[in-house]
Amino acid sequence: MRISRPDASAADAVGLLAGYALDAVFGDPRRLHPVAGFGRAAGALERRLYSPRRRAGAAFTAVAVGVPVAAGLAAAAVTRRRPAARAALVAAATWTVLGGRTLRRESAVMAGHLERADLPAARDRLSHLCGRDPSTLDEPELARATVESVAENTSDAVVAPLLWGGLLGLPGLLGYRAANTLDAMVGHRSARYARFGTASARLDDVLNLLPSRLTGLLTIAAAPLARGGSAEALRVWRRDRNDHPSPNAGQCESAMAGALGVRLGGRNVYFGRTETRPLLGDGPRPSAGDLRRAARISGAVGAGAAVLAAGVALVRSGLVRR
C-alpha cells in the first residue's frame, strides 16, 4: 500500500501520545539510557574540540546537535511510507527524551524527606533535581529549590520535547534533547565554559522560548487541580515572569508560584558562586506539601502538552495534504 507523507505526520501524533504514555507508566529507562550515552559521546567530543573560544564552542554545538538531527531526518525518511514503524520509532524516541515521571517522583521523594524532617536525606537528594549547594539549606529553601526545579524542568524535560516533536517529528525530538543536554553540560557559567558554552546556552534559550511560555499558560490552567486559582496564577505570571534573569525560567516559575500561592526566588548558592534571584509570587515560602501540589500541576501540564503536540502533528499532516 502506498502511504503519503501526511500519513507519516499522523503517525508522529500517535507516536508522541504513545511515548508520553510510556514515560507516564515506566519513567526513564533504568539501564542503557540513550540520553546518557549521548552525554558520554558529547563529553568525548568536547574534550577533542575544546578551546576557550566561542568559535570552538559553536563548532562543538553544531556537530553535537547536527548528528542527532541528521539521524532523525534519515529515520523519518526511511519510515515515511511505513506509518506503523514510524509511530513505533517516534514513541520510542519520545519515551527516551521525556522525564516527566522521574521529575514527579523526585518531587514526591523530597516531600517525604521534608515531612519526616530528615534534612540530611533531603539535602543529599537535591542533587537529583538541581546543582545548588544544599549543605546549609533548611526546609523552606529545600522546598523552594524543588518547586523551582519542577517548574523549570516541566518545560525543559516535558513540554519542549513534545512541542518540537509535534512541529518537526523525529528531528525535533532528537535535536531538542541534544541541545538541552549540551546546555546542561557546557552552558552554565564557569571559568572553563564562559566562552566555549555560549553557543549551547543560546541555542537552548531560543529553543525554549515558545515551550516555556506554553508551560506558563498550561500551569495557570492547571492551578485549580492543586487547590490554586488560575486568576491569581495569571496575575503573578503577568507581573513577575520577565523579572527572572533567564528568558525562559521566569515564565514557568512565576506561573507555578502563583498557582501554588507561594513565593519563589531569592539567594541561590551553587558550588563556587552565588546568585540572587528576584522574588516571584506573594505567598509564604514553599513547604513539603507544596511539592506534591507542584508535582500534580506538572503532571497535568505534561498531559496537556502531549495532546497539544499530537494536535500540532495532525495539523502539520493536514497542511502537507493541502
Side-chain angles (χ1 to χ4, degrees):
M1 180 176 64
R2 184 178 179 82
I3 303 298
S4 65
R5 186 179 171 186
D7 294 309
S9 297
D12 286 349
V14 174
L16 287 166
L17 292 174
Y20 176 81
L22 287 170
D23 176 70
V25 174
F26 299 109
D28 288 334
R30 296 284 182 169
R31 299 175 62 187
L32 302 176
H33 199 303
V35 174
F38 170 80
R40 288 191 292 271
L45 179 66
E46 183 257 331
R47 288 189 292 273
R48 290 183 64 88
L49 297 182
Y50 177 81
S51 74
R53 297 182 301 165
R54 290 181 179 176
R55 181 179 299 176
F60 165 71
T61 302
V63 174
V65 176
V67 170
V69 169
L73 288 169
V78 169
T79 59
R80 184 168 63 92
R81 302 184 189 282
R82 298 176 176 84
R86 175 71 159 263
L89 195 57
V90 171
T94 302
W95 179 27
T96 296
V97 303
L98 293 186
R101 180 180 174 88
T102 298
L103 182 63
R104 296 190 296 274
R105 182 176 65 242
E106 288 299 327
S107 185
V109 169
M110 181 66 77
H113 290 324
L114 294 181
E115 287 165 350
R116 294 187 295 273
D118 190 348
L119 291 185
R123 288 168 179 157
D124 183 65
R125 195 74 185 188
L126 188 64
S127 63
H128 292 234
L129 285 166
C130 65
R132 297 181 199 178
D133 181 355
S135 59
T136 61
L137 298 185
D138 57 11
E139 177 184 341
E141 285 300 297
L142 287 164
R144 175 173 74 87
T146 303
V147 170
E148 291 173 355
S149 296
V150 169
E152 183 175 3
N153 284 304
T154 296
S155 178
D156 289 356
V158 185
V159 176
L162 286 168
L163 183 59
W164 284 110
L167 288 169
L168 300 176
L170 280 166
L173 285 167
L174 301 181
Y176 171 77
R177 177 48 64 205
N180 188 247
T181 302
L182 294 189
D183 180 61
M185 293 175 62
V186 305
H188 54 86
R189 296 175 183 174
S190 68
R192 178 176 176 84
Y193 297 127
R195 298 178 67 82
F196 183 84
T198 299
S200 294
R202 295 295 178 266
L203 178 60
D204 185 72
D205 285 344
V206 170
L207 292 178
N208 279 293
L209 285 173
L210 181 58
S212 64
R213 285 147 182 81
L214 176 60
T215 300
L217 293 172
L218 289 172
T219 298
I220 291 165
L225 299 177
R227 304 188 308 278
S230 292
E232 174 65 8
L234 176 62
R235 183 187 69 82
V236 172
W237 179 71
R238 293 179 63 183
R239 185 192 68 189
D240 296 345
R241 58 182 172 154
N242 294 320
D243 291 344
H244 199 284
S246 165
N248 299 316
Q251 304 289 328
C252 315
E253 293 179 16
S254 62
M256 185 66 81
L260 297 178
V262 300
R263 188 175 77 248
L264 302 177
R267 182 172 177 264
N268 296 342
V269 178
Y270 300 90
F271 294 94
R273 61 190 174 89
T274 300
E275 295 182 5
T276 300
R277 303 283 176 83
L279 299 179
L280 308 174
D282 299 317
R285 286 301 194 190
S287 62
D290 294 317
L291 307 192
R292 300 190 187 278
R293 296 170 64 210
R296 196 176 309 138
I297 289 175
S298 178
V301 169
V307 172
L308 287 174
V312 169
L314 290 174
V315 169
R316 175 161 53 90
S317 174
L319 290 174
V320 171
R321 183 177 289 112
R322 284 197 293 270

